[in-house]
Amino acid sequence: MKMSPDKAILLVEDNPDDIELTKRAFIKNNLLNPIVVAEDGAAALDYLFGRGNWSARDVTDRPALVLLDLKLPKIEGIEVLRQIREDDRSRTIPVVILTTSREDRDVVESYRLGANSYVRKPVDFNDFIEAVKNLGMYWLLLNEAPPA
Amino acid sequence: MVVVQMAVIVSEGLDEVRIRRTARFSAWAAAVIGLIVLAMQLAGVFGERPSGMKANAALAAVLIAGALLSAERRKGLSRLLAVVALAVTILTLVENLAAVDLGIDELLVADPTRVIEPGRMAAETAIVFALLSVGALLTSEIPVGRYLATAMMAVTLFVILAYLFGALNVRRAGAEVRMAPETALASFLLSVALLLQRAGPAWTRLLFSDSPAGRLVRRFISAAVGVAFLIGWIRIRGEASGLLDLESGITVSVTANLLILVALVLWWGQRLERDHQSLIERDAALMASDERFRLASMATNDAIYDWDLLHGIRTWNGVMGQRYGYPIVDAGRTGAEWLERVHPEDRERVARGWAAALEGDDQVWRCEYRTIRADGGIDDILERTFIMRNAAGSAIRAIGALTELTAIRQAEAILRNANVELERRVAERTEELRQKTDRLASMNAELEAFSYSVSHDLRAPLRSIDGFSQALIEDNEAQLDDAGRSHLRRIRAATQKMAELIDGLLELSRVSRTALQHVEVDLTAIAEQTIERLREQNPARQVDVSIGPSIVVQGDPRLLRIVMENLLENAWKFTSKREAACIEVGRRSMETTTEVFVRDNGAGFDPQYASNLFGAFQRLHPVSEFPGTGIGLATVQRIITRHGGTLRAEASPGRGATFAFTMGETS
């Protein structure tokens, strides 16, 4: 098994409660990768492409995983996903849609745009911990990211 | 090309011509007799013939014939001739009555016979010629002339017959001067000429008529004359030869006369009767044909005309009067008169069309135009005319009909308007429908946006409540007492409950919004998968499940899965308090369709509340007993209804429930 514990996880989420609970779920599952939080779509793209507040960042240091909420301020999650998939620098980063919505159009649209997976945030926190565990196991531990 | 013989019947004219011809012939014949006698007397070839026609008698005959022949064209001459003839005859009569010799008798020719009064015509001859002269003079009193002529005919006929039967013997003459036979013949001819002067009296027309009656009369008269003469002659001969005496002679002649005349009358009567019968039949046929035509024209309600183009006379049927209000004689006997009845705007077109039809060689002319009724109303009509032509191709007769199109035109106009109105209303409705559809679409979009935000925004706080309650339990367990931990558990349970409610509502609205698929759905497989999942979630429960094989229906696979899951989860839930729980899934045939059922032996319910079952958030059991949102059956009901089927439930408290649904036409 190959791990990439030093690589960051980009969490794109505007709800502070969800940010806190997601971080907690990762810790509960012993997934210790640093979690970078972007609170809107624009901030997420700045991080990925080294713009704005993140202009000093080395963009070749790509995150191991992007957890992307769809309902976001400034730039919608679907648009963020589209731009990630359009840019060569970010095209291969695994993106998991992390949302409360079960609406079909989100699933269909995000898969069409190249989302790797879709996880619905359950209300039961224990269920959520379980989901994050599965997520981490697969995308961070099992699924080796392609070489840069 | 149809050639029609315009049979102009002028039988009267023909009769008249014949009568005049006969009158002239008779006068000429009398004149010729007179001239021949005169010529022979002058030439002295007459010889000794004491009872022959005298020179003055011959002269009178020629004069009277001349007077009659010139009566119409040269009245003066005619009168002069008649007056001279009258003078000669009157003088002769004076000689006879006064027993004097005025010297007129041998004025022309000396009489070698030297009878009592040499060269003098007989007294009766003088009377007959005098009366004929008077008749010839009386041109303004024709009836008087005709009476005279008739009387003279009878007298002269008597003399002629007397000579023929030997009552007067030419050879026996000498004792008295008698009218000579040639004088009698000439007088008879002159009487006929006088009688038939100016076309003769009415009764003579029958004699010359071409009609069956005319022919009959002519034949009968000639037969009667012939028979009477023949029988008279036979009787005289019989008596002369001694075969018959007076009595038997009369008997023979009367009998023969009776037999022959009766036979003739009967024979001609029969022929007349036959003619009459065939005439009656022809009359009846004609009347039937006439009646048929009249009825047919009534049936069509067409104004029909027969137009004699040669004489410009048009005859209309009664419809013209009834329908268009014009007296038939006033309906336009000529084309120009009818054009007055044509609407002014159409007049020129009709006139031009009709003129072209007459010029051309078509048999049928059709024209639609407007007419003005007598009461001023306007009709649309169709005129159709059959034109008959003679051999040269000129139109001589036209038979036509005016068909009224007003009602048809009005109906067409109404239909047209109705169509326009219909189209306008369809367009209106279409527009209304489009607006409604747009409104519905925008409402649907709003609803979807609402559902989306419900799903997103209502669930997020629940997650926080649950997540941090859990965090509190985990991180601050030491600080919490049992009551605190219990409160937190209740908070978390309520949160779960609310999440379920939100999910249920979302599902219910999604069921109504999403488009239906129609594919084969294997309900047996879905039931098996659902039961397997329930067994995994509740491994402790012992439930006897029986699922019928290959229950396949047509419908939407995702929605039908929701139906089966809901019904089986309900059955699973409500049998949870049974020791020997049973769930059965099957299919049964109803009268017209088949229904799929899910039966359990669980808690059941009171059927009087069954109507509450399918409303959202309606529950028949306390949550403490059986948890649930009360949305599941409402969702099932809505899915089945969308498939065109029905859902029903049968149950009694404590004895289980059965939910059965049909799938409408697609099952």
Side-chain angles (χ1 to χ4, degrees):
Chain A
M1 258 193 271
K2 194 174 175 186
M3 288 178 69
S4 44
D6 49 333
K7 288 232 170 193
I9 291 170
L10 176 61
L11 173 62
V12 191
E13 172 67 79
D14 65 323
N15 185 334
D17 284 359
D18 278 345
I19 294 168
E20 190 59 36
L21 289 169
T22 306
K23 282 181 174 170
R24 189 177 168 87
F26 271 80
I27 290 162
K28 284 265 171 191
N29 284 304
N30 293 316
L31 295 167
L32 301 172
N33 301 54
I35 292 176
V36 179
V37 176
E39 293 195 26
D40 60 55
L45 294 172
D46 283 352
Y47 175 83
L48 287 170
F49 302 131
R51 298 183 304 221
N53 289 342
W54 296 96
S55 54
R57 202 180 80 81
D58 174 12
V59 293
T60 59
D61 181 19
R62 296 180 305 181
L65 179 67
V66 176
L67 292 174
L68 181 63
D69 192 13
L70 289 180
K71 230 173 163 247
L72 290 171
K74 294 185 183 173
I75 297 175
E76 286 270 348
I78 291 288
E79 176 61 19
V80 173
L81 175 61
R82 203 180 55 74
Q83 292 198 21
I84 289 173
R85 285 297 175 247
E86 272 181 1
D87 198 299
D88 283 341
R89 292 169 292 181
S90 55
R91 184 167 291 148
T92 55
I93 302 171
V95 176
V96 171
I97 304 298
L98 188 64
T99 184
T100 54
S101 173
R102 252 188 358 193
E103 288 289 294
D104 286 354
R105 58 169 193 193
D106 292 338
V107 183
V108 173
E109 183 68 2
S110 56
Y111 274 117
R112 200 180 64 76
L113 288 172
N116 298 75
S117 184
Y118 178 95
V119 172
R120 185 179 179 241
K121 292 182 273 189
V123 169
D124 190 324
F125 186 62
N126 290 333
D127 289 349
F128 188 59
I129 288 169
E130 193 67 19
V132 168
K133 183 174 137 191
N134 292 339
L135 249 177
M137 286 289 280
Y138 185 76
W139 290 111
L140 300 179
L141 303 179
L142 299 179
N143 197 33
E144 191 183 343
Chain B
M1 190 168 299
V2 176
V3 179
V4 174
Q5 307 268 319
M6 293 296 292
V8 184
I9 298 165
V10 284
S11 57
E12 272 189 26
L14 281 176
D15 293 350
E16 208 169 297
V17 167
R18 273 190 206 137
I19 290 171
R20 285 170 187 280
R21 202 179 288 156
T22 307
R24 262 208 312 281
F25 173 81
S26 301
W28 273 112
V32 165
I33 288 170
L35 285 171
I36 288 172
V37 168
L38 259 183
M40 286 171 82
Q41 296 255 14
L42 286 170
V45 292
F46 213 51
E48 288 195 10
R49 196 168 162 272
S51 62
M53 193 181 200
K54 301 298 184 206
N56 278 358
L59 178 69
V62 172
L63 289 171
I64 294 168
L68 288 174
L69 284 169
S70 59
E72 277 181 42
R73 300 254 171 97
R74 309 177 71 176
K75 272 197 180 135
L77 177 64
S78 170
R79 292 210 169 164
L80 179 65
L81 295 174
V83 166
V84 173
L86 185 61
V88 169
T89 49
I90 293 291
L91 287 174
T92 307
L93 274 177
V94 168
E95 282 179 327
N96 276 337
L97 288 172
V100 290
D101 189 344
L102 297 176
I104 55 164
D105 301 324
E106 288 183 289
L107 209 60
L108 290 173
V109 180
D111 189 353
T113 55
R114 308 309 295 177
V115 287
I116 306 164
E117 286 94 16
R120 186 179 298 175
M121 71 173 92
E124 61 262 35
T125 305
I127 291 169
V128 167
F129 280 146
L131 289 174
L132 285 174
S133 307
V134 170
L137 269 174
L138 291 173
T139 45
S140 56
E141 291 291 336
I142 284 174
V144 176
R146 283 176 184 157
Y147 300 145
L148 287 172
T150 310
M152 293 311 103
M153 272 173 73
V155 170
T156 50
L157 188 64
F158 176 80
V159 175
I160 291 167
L161 287 174
Y163 277 113
L164 285 172
F165 287 145
L168 286 172
N169 199 327
V170 183
R171 285 184 211 101
R172 261 196 299 156
E176 256 180 286
V177 176
R178 296 269 182 206
M179 183 187 267
E182 56 267 36
T183 309
L185 183 61
S187 307
F188 180 77
L189 289 169
L190 287 173
S191 305
V192 170
L194 180 61
L195 178 70
L196 298 181
Q197 203 188 13
R198 298 269 171 99
W203 60 265
T204 56
R205 302 224 170 155
L206 188 60
L207 278 171
F208 294 91
S209 167
D210 237 357
S211 68
R215 281 199 295 271
L216 181 66
V217 166
R218 277 198 300 277
R219 281 179 197 166
F220 189 80
I221 286 174
S222 38
V225 167
V227 163
F229 180 78
L230 191 68
I231 289 168
W233 185 79
I234 288 170
R235 187 182 151 199
I236 286 166
R237 302 303 300 173
E239 280 180 22
S241 60
L243 280 171
L244 298 167
D245 57 14
L246 179 67
E247 289 79 11
S248 56
I250 290 172
T251 310
V252 165
S253 75
V254 170
T255 309
N257 258 318
L258 273 177
L259 285 176
I260 293 174
L261 290 181
V262 167
L264 281 173
V265 166
L266 281 176
W267 184 52
W268 278 316
Q270 265 179 339
R271 289 192 55 170
L272 208 61
E273 178 66 14
R274 266 207 308 280
D275 285 357
H276 182 60
Q277 282 304 331
S278 71
L279 217 61
I280 285 174
E281 281 162 25
R282 236 184 313 170
D283 218 38
L286 205 65
M287 277 176 71
S289 158
D290 231 40
E291 178 73 356
R292 246 197 318 276
F293 172 73
R294 195 179 65 79
L295 292 175
S297 70
M298 272 170 66
T300 61
N301 205 26
D302 285 356
I304 297 173
Y305 61 79
D306 182 350
W307 193 357
D308 174 358
L309 296 170
L310 292 178
H311 301 90
I313 293 170
R314 179 144 61 165
T315 318
W316 294 90
N317 70 346
V319 176
M320 173 49 68
Q322 294 156 17
R323 180 66 196 80
Y324 298 93
Y326 293 116
I328 292 170
V329 288
D330 199 26
R333 284 161 63 81
T334 62
E337 277 169 24
W338 175 246
L339 273 178
E340 305 255 308
R341 320 267 182 245
V342 175
H343 194 281
E345 287 172 24
D346 294 344
R347 210 168 276 161
E348 205 196 318
R349 180 170 59 86
V350 173
R352 244 186 297 119
W354 177 241
L358 289 180
E359 288 289 308
D361 54 6
D362 285 342
Q363 276 186 21
V364 176
W365 178 65
R366 294 169 58 99
C367 190
E368 281 186 33
Y369 56 89
R370 286 165 294 171
T371 59
I372 302 167
R373 286 198 303 269
D375 62 14
I378 290 173
D379 285 316
D380 286 305
I381 63 147
L382 166 66
E383 178 171 357
R384 282 171 295 188
T385 305
F386 182 68
I387 302 169
M388 299 172 174
R389 298 174 194 278
N390 61 15
S394 357
I396 54 171
R397 186 177 173 185
I399 308 276
L402 310 185
T403 307
E404 197 202 321
L405 302 177
T406 312
I408 298 172
R409 291 284 173 267
Q410 280 169 357
E412 280 174 356
I414 288 169
L415 203 66
R416 237 189 340 267
N417 289 343
N419 265 334
V420 169
E421 172 67 13
L422 200 66
E423 270 168 33
R424 191 184 62 73
R425 271 153 79 170
V426 166
E428 243 177 50
R429 290 287 146 81
T430 310
E431 177 60 20
E432 271 173 37
L433 218 64
R434 201 185 57 73
Q435 286 174 0
K436 272 185 189 162
T437 311
D438 288 354
R439 266 207 305 281
L440 262 177
S442 72
M443 277 165 69
N444 243 335
E446 272 172 41
L447 200 65
E448 232 168 294
F450 172 74
S451 307
Y452 188 81
S453 64
V454 163
S455 166
H456 249 96
D457 302 345
L458 292 190
R459 283 171 59 91
L462 289 181
R463 249 189 345 265
S464 301
I465 295 166
D466 189 71
F468 290 110
S469 302
Q470 176 71 11
L472 203 59
I473 292 169
E474 285 171 7
D475 296 355
N476 304 78
E477 204 177 0
Q479 284 110 304
L480 288 171
D481 57 6
D482 284 351
R485 280 193 291 275
S486 167
H487 292 162
L488 282 171
R489 270 197 302 278
R490 280 169 190 264
I491 288 171
R492 292 195 65 205
T495 316
Q496 294 303 322
K497 176 79 185 165
M498 183 151 178
E500 280 172 30
L501 280 172
I502 291 169
D503 286 351
L505 273 180
L506 278 177
E507 191 159 86
L508 188 62
S509 79
R510 200 158 46 229
V511 159
S512 309
R513 281 182 288 126
T514 53
L516 272 192
Q517 271 185 288
H518 275 287
V519 294
E520 285 198 342
V521 182
D522 185 352
L523 297 183
T524 300
I526 293 174
E528 280 166 353
Q529 289 157 17
T530 309
I531 292 297
E532 199 180 329
R533 176 168 61 77
L534 289 168
R535 284 194 200 281
E536 275 172 19
Q537 287 171 359
N538 306 275
R541 282 198 56 189
Q542 293 292 317
V543 181
D544 182 10
V545 179
S546 131
I547 299 172
S550 46
I551 303 169
V552 178
V553 295
Q554 290 279 326
D556 187 289
R558 205 176 57 81
L559 294 182
L560 290 177
R561 178 174 287 275
I562 294 172
V563 168
M564 292 310 284
E565 281 176 355
N566 265 298
L567 293 178
L568 286 168
E569 280 163 11
N570 276 355
W572 189 269
K573 180 165 67 186
F574 289 107
T575 52
S576 58
K577 306 218 162 102
R578 283 270 178 267
E579 295 261 315
C582 276
I583 296 176
E584 186 188 353
V585 178
R587 175 171 51 181
R588 62 187 169 198
S589 287
M590 305 298 286
E591 272 173 27
T592 55
T593 177
T594 57
E595 65 175 19
V596 179
F597 64 88
V598 175
R599 181 183 294 145
D600 64 64
N601 63 345
F605 56 87
D606 188 338
Q608 65 172 309
Y609 303 118
S611 59
N612 294 346
L613 267 179
F614 305 126
F617 305 114
Q618 297 279 344
R619 292 177 50 85
L620 299 183
H621 299 276
V623 179
S624 56
E625 220 173 316
F626 296 105
T629 56
I631 295 176
L633 280 178
T635 307
V636 169
Q637 160 92 325
R638 202 168 283 188
I639 292 170
I640 296 300
T641 305
R642 280 203 72 191
H643 279 82
T646 51
L647 173 67
R648 62 190 186 83
E650 12 176 282
S652 52
R655 298 180 58 187
T658 301
F659 288 87
F661 60 89
T662 62
M663 291 293 291
E665 287 161 13
T666 54
S667 63

